[in-house]
Amino acid sequence: MPKTISRDELKQKIDRKDDFLLVETLPATAYHHNHLPGAINLPPDSVTTIAAQLLPDKSADIVVYCASPT
């Protein structure tokens, strides 16, 4: 079951240099404009074609983020 973490919890994971994959699920243009350090891009229109290639370890700790109005 996916777990939601707060922005503060994500910052702590980044600051501690935890072993996890950070995935941004915005279109490539948004990713290239600005993204969190270390994030990889998995655009919504490419999930079915490249997700397995980008995220081959099914047991990996993966944090996914996207745009939010707040």
Side-chain angles (χ1 to χ4, degrees):
M1 179 58 114
K3 175 186 169 196
T4 300
I5 65 172
S6 68
R7 291 178 185 170
D8 289 337
E9 289 171 307
L10 175 56
K11 176 147 178 25
Q12 290 171 5
K13 288 177 81 61
I14 292 169
D15 290 347
R16 286 191 309 258
K17 297 181 177 27
D18 287 0
D19 185 21
F20 71 100
L21 295 170
L22 184 57
V23 179
E24 179 179 289
T25 57
L26 293 173
T29 53
Y31 174 82
H32 291 297
H33 178 69
N34 193 19
H35 59 271
L36 293 175
I40 59 174
N41 185 227
L42 182 57
D45 60 349
S46 301
V47 169
T48 57
T49 57
I50 65 172
Q53 179 184 3
L54 288 178
L55 310 167
D57 183 357
K58 294 183 193 293
S59 66
D61 185 11
I62 301 171
V63 176
V64 178
Y65 74 95
C66 63
S68 170
T70 58

